[in-house]
Amino acid sequence: MSEIIIKRLTDPFFNSLKLQVLQEIEDIFFESSAKKTFKSEKEKLDLKWKYLGFYLERYPDFVWVAFSEKVLGYCLGMPITQDDELYLAQPHLKVFEEQYKDYPAHLHINCHAMARGQGIGTRLIEELEREFRAMGVKGVHLMTSIDARNRKFYQRLGYDYECELPYLNTPILMMGKKL
Ligand SMILES: CC(C)(COP(=O)(O)OP(=O)(O)OC[C@H]1O[C@@H](n2cnc3c(N)ncnc32)[C@H](O)[C@@H]1OP(=O)(O)O)[C@@H](O)C(=O)NCCC(=O)NCCS
């Protein structure tokens, strides 16, 4: 495989590849999602907007892409989680509002199933963290669950703050890292 390039989605490198890259990010998103069946096309579109479309539209400069002939993974986020439009899309985020003074930024990450366990996720997260740090952001967080395999991945990267709270009877694990 040729060299793995990690760049922002808005980097001119992706200009002529934009449609391919957006489609492959979407494919990785749905492949990585726990939800596989949808009652309607609208339900599918809503899920895509919630965790992907919102960021692509509103915060494209905070989308990092790993690419080698095709997209291998992406990491996206935003520096300030306390945002009314975001809360509308992801109401569960409000439950953790108290924690956002120490961990204001957040991220989502997914790698292609064939590209996991090769350090690509680590490199992607480091790019976004570097960006937040350069902006003077105090901390970053993400949401997962206590028994998820990715929990160890985040712990190894320094996400040593954990807070589990229920939303609609489902426990959600917030993990945070000071920057
Ligand atoms: C979690 C993920 C982004 C990590 O990226 P990566 O490039 O695979 O990770 P790295 O190679 O840098 O580090 C390896 C670690 O990632 C985690 N990992 C590897 N494959 C994984 C998989 N299929 N699912 C979940 N975590 C995985 C493990 O903690 C692994 O460490 P281990 O081998 O000691 O168990 C990636 O594996 C992935 O997309 N997993 C599935 C979707 C997911 O869990 N997304 C995060 C939602 S909160």
Side-chain angles (χ1 to χ4, degrees), residues 12-49:
F13 173 83
F14 290 122
N15 280 357
S16 63
L17 297 161
K18 218 28 146 334
L19 286 179
Q20 177 197 339
V21 167
L22 289 174
Q23 183 59 55
E24 290 176 357
I25 289 176
E26 181 177 332
D27 293 345
I28 292 173
F29 168 71
F30 281 114
E31 191 280 328
S32 303
S33 168
K35 188 161 175 60
K36 296 293 179 202
T37 54
F38 299 91
K39 280 184 271 174
S40 63
E41 190 57 23
K42 179 174 181 315
E43 193 186 37
K44 189 173 179 185
L45 284 174
D46 285 348
L47 184 74
K48 181 177 147 191
W49 172 255

Side-chain angles (χ1 to χ4, degrees), residues 109-111 116-122 150 152-154 156:
I109 182 167
N110 283 309
C111 289
R116 291 174 192 160
Q118 298 168 35
I120 296 169
T122 299
N150 55 45
K152 204 165 70 167
F153 166 74
Y154 297 127
R156 201 167 42 224

Side-chain angles (χ1 to χ4, degrees), residues 69-110:
E69 291 166 30
K70 62 180 184 171
V71 176
L72 303 177
Y74 67 87
C75 181
L76 50 75
M78 56 197 274
I80 299 173
T81 300
Q82 278 170 306
D83 177 282
D84 288 342
E85 194 189 10
L86 179 73
Y87 285 165
L88 215 56
Q90 300 181 42
H92 63 279
L93 291 177
K94 244 191 149 157
V95 171
F96 294 90
E97 206 163 26
E98 179 70 8
Q99 322 298 324
Y100 300 157
K101 35 181 202 319
D102 288 329
Y103 307 98
H106 75 273
L107 63 83
H108 299 278
I109 182 167
N110 283 309

Side-chain angles (χ1 to χ4, degrees), residues 51 91-93 95-96 142-146 162-175:
Y51 294 114
H92 63 279
L93 291 177
V95 171
F96 294 90
L142 55 93
M143 303 297 175
T144 183
S145 60
I146 214 128
E162 294 192 328
C163 170
E164 193 186 39
L165 290 172
Y167 176 73
L168 301 178
N169 291 325
T170 302
I172 300 175
L173 179 69
M174 175 205 149
M175 298 181 73

